[in-house]
Amino acid sequence: NEVQYTGKPKQKNYNMIKLIWAPIVVSLMIIINALGYSNLLGLSLGASFVLMATGCMTVQQAYRSIDVRLYVIIAGSFGMATALDKTGVAKVVSDSLISVFSGSGGAQGAIGQLFALYMCTMLLTALLSNNAAVAIMFPIAYNMTNISLKSRMYIIMYAASCDFSTPFGYQTNIMVYAPGGYKFLDYTKFGLPLQLILLATSCPLVYAIYG
């Protein structure tokens, strides 16, 4: 015997006040930080408290959003970065990068070293995470004193934030990985050429602007 279902599908009841209130709180957090009135950490904590107090999210949802594995990777990378600095490995690596990529010196040599920094950071980001890559590369970049500090810092930040070749290099990559039905090689096929374009353009531009 066939069983006929005559019931109506359940519909989620959304609270329109909360749907409006949540983006307002997040937008205010971004605007206040952009205007320089407060730091992002304090604003984020304040916004989270307001969202929980108004019922936009529960304490349990806030706890579930914390990725413990990510914090373990970041904590371990800071320890590795300290070890690289204290043991002198960072100095050896930075000297090696300078000697290998400096070429004939001058602007070409400096841009070559920025290329090396970018590529190293890009590879670490693809394997670990952007936070871990910056923590490890910072002492190496800091010791490359023949280029301006701003150039070195911008390059490692940019390289760590522009990983498109793997689904694990950046948080937004993994967020769309399963819902979009992507495969691992989809990221490599379309993301790697884009990364190479950014590599080729960002290093000369950063050197031209910051020296």
Side-chain angles (χ1 to χ4, degrees):
N1 296 329
E2 293 184 359
V3 178
Q4 293 183 347
Y5 178 73
T6 58
K8 294 182 179 179
K10 292 183 178 179
Q11 295 181 346
K12 292 183 178 180
N13 295 320
Y14 293 104
N15 188 319
M16 291 304 298
I17 296 176
K18 293 178 182 178
L19 285 175
I20 297 172
W21 182 244
I24 289 175
V25 172
V26 175
S27 299
L28 285 173
M29 177 190 72
I30 297 171
I31 292 170
I32 293 172
N33 177 253
L35 294 174
Y37 289 118
S38 182
N39 62 73
L40 190 57
L41 175 59
L43 288 169
S44 300
L45 292 174
S48 300
F49 177 78
V50 172
L51 291 174
M52 286 187 287
T54 54
C56 293
M57 70 175 180
T58 64
V59 176
Q60 289 75 18
Q61 288 174 326
Y63 275 120
R64 284 199 299 268
S65 67
I66 299 173
D67 191 346
V68 178
R69 293 172 298 176
L70 177 62
Y71 288 104
V72 170
I73 293 173
I74 296 172
S77 65
F78 279 117
M80 187 180 295
T82 303
L84 287 172
D85 188 33
K86 297 295 183 183
T87 58
V89 174
K91 184 70 167 63
V92 173
V93 173
S94 63
D95 289 343
S96 299
L97 290 175
I98 291 172
S99 62
V100 172
F101 291 93
S102 60
S104 58
Q108 291 182 347
I111 294 173
Q113 292 166 43
L114 292 178
F115 269 105
L117 270 181
Y118 194 110
M119 287 188 291
C120 291
T121 309
M122 183 176 70
L123 290 172
L124 284 174
T125 302
L127 296 172
L128 301 173
S129 72
N130 58 326
N131 299 287
V134 171
I136 293 171
M137 289 303 298
F138 176 79
I140 296 172
Y142 189 78
N143 281 283
M144 297 174 69
T145 53
N146 59 327
I147 312 172
S148 71
L149 182 61
K150 272 191 175 181
S151 292
R152 289 171 274 157
M153 296 302 104
Y154 274 118
I155 282 297
I156 62 174
M157 287 190 296
Y158 195 59
S161 301
C162 296
D163 178 70
F164 313 117
S165 60
T166 67
F168 313 110
Y170 202 75
Q171 294 89 333
T172 48
N173 296 14
I174 197 69
M175 285 172 62
V176 299
Y177 183 45
Y182 296 111
K183 298 178 181 178
F184 188 96
L185 288 179
D186 291 336
Y187 286 84
T188 307
K189 189 188 304 181
F190 297 100
L192 187 58
L194 181 57
Q195 276 190 264
L196 295 177
I197 293 171
L198 292 172
L199 167 65
T201 55
S202 60
C203 293
L205 284 173
V206 166
Y207 181 77
I209 296 171
Y210 300 106

